[in-house]
């Protein structure tokens, strides 16, 4: 028996779960940097090291990243709201004015991030209106910067517990 769930209520309830903000990047077939903002990101496995992310099926950027065969995941740092917003836009040059360098695997790595993972595309699965993407981690790095968070429809920052 299936219970009808109101999509707005579903979004409101899940908004109580705080998540980090990531940017998923690659170089497309023409060598141009492409990227998208993704808050649906998680670790999946330690052995082998796998992560998962879930881009929307409506994304015009994900097919370009998929075609690259791999991607970078930048965990955004506190104060990088502008990067999250730029990468969420559709039809614009998302990298205009963005400071980035190529990773060891050639993927665009934005400056000032909290952490970085370089991944090969491992698998894709149906996820309703999203695609569940599994990435095999090939390289990674972390900084001491605090992460940018998303909670109840807005950006947030981490505060130490009392």
């Amino acid at each position: 028996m299936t219970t009808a769930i109101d999509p707005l209520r579903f979004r409101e309830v899940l908004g109580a779960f705080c998540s980090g903000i990531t940017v998923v990047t690659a170089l497309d077939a023409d060598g141009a940097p492409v990227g998208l903002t993704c808050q649906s990101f998680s670790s999946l496995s330690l052995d082998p090291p796998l992560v998962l992310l879930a881009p929307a099926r409506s994304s015009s950027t994900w097919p370009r990243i998929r075609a690259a065969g791999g991607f970078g995941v930048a965990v955004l740092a506190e104060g990088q709201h502008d990067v999250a917003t730029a990468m969420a836009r559709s039809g614009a040059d998302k990298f205009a004015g963005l400071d980035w360098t190529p990773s060891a695997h050639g993927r665009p790595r934005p400056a000032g991030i909290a952490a970085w993972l370089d991944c090969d595309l491992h698998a894709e699965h149906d996820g309703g209106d999203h695609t569940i993407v599994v990435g095999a981690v090939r390289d990674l790095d972390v900084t001491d910067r605090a992460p940018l968070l998303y909670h109840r429809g807005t950006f947030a920052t981490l505060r130490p517990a009392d």
Side-chain angles (χ1 to χ4, degrees), residues 35-37 60-61 82-96:
L36 58 86
T37 299
S60 59
T61 304
D82 55 338
V83 177
T85 302
M87 293 292 167
R89 282 188 294 225
S90 183
D93 179 1
K94 298 178 183 186
F95 284 82

Side-chain angles (χ1 to χ4, degrees), residues 11-21 39 81 147-159:
R11 187 175 188 163
E12 176 188 11
V13 169
L14 292 180
F17 180 71
C18 185
S19 66
I21 304 288
Q39 79 178 82
H81 310 81
L148 178 63
L149 306 176
Y150 197 72
H151 182 251
R152 296 196 188 275
T154 190
F155 294 112
T157 56
L158 190 62
R159 288 185 307 218

Side-chain angles (χ1 to χ4, degrees), residues 92-126:
D93 179 1
K94 298 178 183 186
F95 284 82
L98 179 68
D99 185 18
W100 65 273
T101 56
S103 71
H105 295 273
R107 293 159 187 146
R109 180 180 170 157
I113 58 178
W116 173 258
L117 298 103
D118 237 316
C119 304
D120 292 337
L121 182 59
H122 181 73
E124 285 186 89
H125 307 281
D126 179 30

